[in-house]
Amino acid sequence: MQTMIEFQHVKKAYGEKTVLKDFSLTVEKGEFVTIVGSSGCGKTTALKLVNGLLAPDGGEILVYGESIRRKDQTQLRRNIGYAIQGSVLFPHMTVEQNISYVPNLLNKKDRKKTKEAVAKWMKIVGLDDDLRERFPSELSGGQQQRVGIARALAASPEILLMDEPFGAVDEITRGQLQTEIRRIHSQTGITVLFVTHDISEAMKLGTRVLVMDKGEIEQYASPEELLRHPATDFVRKLTAQQRHVCRLPDERLEECEYSGVNMEE
Ligand SMILES: Nc1ncnc2c1ncn2[C@@H]1O[C@H](COP(=O)(O)OP(=O)(O)O)[C@@H](O)[C@H]1O
Ligand SMILES: [Mg+2]
């Protein structure tokens, strides 16, 4: 396996407030890592450090084994898709223009190639082709979210960062989008870092789940492992709330039950 992203003893503070103290994490190529934890624990901060939207105050972040400090920032961001909650689409641009924004920057002359790419990504995220000419305000929340994902994927990045991307849509749409993103991940082999505050979502989507509390890593393990061997009280409480649909190593989804075998109470 090849390491795709590595945090080495990363420190990040906002003024006096330290959010990440000594944050170390390794993500292998092709993994789907879900980052789960309560509001304000530092999830978004961790994500933004990967594409250079934030700079660490200490430690290193490596992508493909190279410190991102030494990388060209524009280049770095083009290779890292970023999708966040709600509509972040350009309101004055159509669906097609939104999705083709970065591909157009990349291959200015090849409009045909861009058109094909738009068609391909619309299909992959499950958008009907007749939505091409619509503006964001003429789409449902779920459709807007799909366009956002297609736009993040359109430059064929090797890494996709997603920050609570399905937080603003209804339950049914969320379920559909979860299914789509799992499929996209298995089809493209893209490395995904997915932030959520919803433990069920984390268990269903992640090949590995990172549980955070107050800027610290509580546990970093497969969904099954999290249920079978919760490393801390925090993880035990988080996972014990309900039965979980877990993503298994062979891509199946299975309802797994918390057993808490190494915990006594
Ligand atoms: N730009 C900022 N300036 C000051 N404090 C910030 C800033 N961004 C985030 N914070 C604080 O840092 C902590 C972690 O924020 P964040 O990473 O956004 O958490 P999460 O995404 O887990 O909810 C929170 O307490 C938040 O209020
Ligand atoms: Mg956040």
Side-chain angles (χ1 to χ4, degrees):
M1 271 221 191
Q2 187 178 11
T3 299
M4 194 61 151
I5 304 164
E6 196 172 351
F7 287 77
Q8 295 178 338
H9 307 289
V10 168
K11 178 175 181 272
K12 180 66 194 172
Y14 299 106
E16 299 280 274
K17 189 184 162 70
T18 300
V19 178
L20 302 177
K21 216 174 358 189
D22 182 17
F23 190 84
S24 294
L25 179 75
T26 301
V27 178
E28 306 297 340
K29 188 173 170 31
E31 276 198 280
F32 194 132
V33 172
T34 48
I35 304 177
V36 63
S38 36
S39 175
C41 74
K43 304 182 296 295
T44 295
T45 301
L47 213 60
K48 284 182 172 171
L49 286 163
V50 178
N51 62 1
L53 287 180
L54 289 173
D57 299 309
E60 286 286 348
I61 294 137
L62 314 182
V63 170
Y64 268 131
E66 195 191 336
S67 169
I68 62 170
R69 281 179 213 270
R70 287 190 283 275
K71 285 184 194 271
D72 175 77
Q73 294 301 298
T74 313
Q75 205 58 26
L76 177 75
R77 264 168 235 162
R78 279 199 193 136
N79 199 24
I80 301 180
Y82 186 48
I84 60 176
Q85 180 179 327
S87 182
V88 288
L89 303 174
F90 303 120
H92 57 289
M93 290 186 187
T94 64
V95 167
E96 170 159 11
Q97 287 165 340
N98 264 284
I99 298 173
S100 58
Y101 187 75
V102 177
N104 270 336
L105 291 178
L106 295 180
N107 45 58
K108 279 194 169 57
K109 295 205 175 64
D110 203 341
R111 296 282 165 184
K112 184 165 168 272
K113 200 169 159 194
T114 303
K115 260 213 145 40
E116 284 167 9
V118 170
K120 173 180 127 183
W121 288 112
M122 283 183 72
K123 192 161 175 229
I124 287 178
V125 302
L127 282 169
D128 250 13
D129 202 59
D130 56 12
L131 297 174
R132 261 175 190 267
E133 300 305 321
R134 296 251 192 111
F135 287 92
S137 61
E138 300 166 337
L139 301 173
S140 72
Q143 287 169 335
Q144 290 182 22
Q145 212 63 69
R146 285 172 201 267
V147 177
I149 296 167
R151 193 179 62 176
L153 289 169
S156 299
E158 291 180 90
I159 297 171
L160 179 61
L161 307 178
M162 307 187 88
D163 195 347
E164 311 214 17
F166 309 149
V169 296
D170 62 83
E171 202 62 43
I172 293 169
T173 308
R174 184 179 314 149
Q176 291 168 345
L177 289 169
Q178 287 170 344
T179 305
E180 300 292 353
I181 201 67
R182 270 175 48 106
R183 191 175 48 73
I184 291 166
H185 170 252
S186 345
Q187 275 181 3
T188 60
I190 194 169
T191 308
V192 183
L193 245 61
F194 185 109
V195 163
T196 177
H197 61 261
D198 177 358
I199 181 68
S200 314
E201 185 167 69
M203 301 293 252
K204 184 175 164 189
L205 296 181
T207 54
R208 271 209 277 183
V209 181
L210 175 79
V211 181
M212 282 177 73
D213 187 33
K214 303 190 188 88
E216 309 255 2
I217 295 175
E218 295 282 317
Q219 192 166 3
Y220 183 37
S222 72
E224 271 185 296
E225 178 71 11
L226 231 59
L227 284 175
R228 302 241 155 86
H229 306 286
T232 65
D233 242 28
F234 184 86
V235 177
R236 188 169 56 91
K237 286 191 182 121
L238 190 71
T239 52
Q241 288 159 1
Q242 62 199 82
R243 290 170 67 89
H244 291 283
V245 174
C246 291
R247 180 171 185 169
L248 301 178
D250 62 5
E251 290 299 322
R252 272 182 309 128
L253 280 176
E254 193 164 89
E255 205 166 307
C256 300
E257 198 154 9
Y258 165 74
S259 60
V261 284
N262 67 343
M263 290 288 187
E264 288 127 42
E265 202 175 67

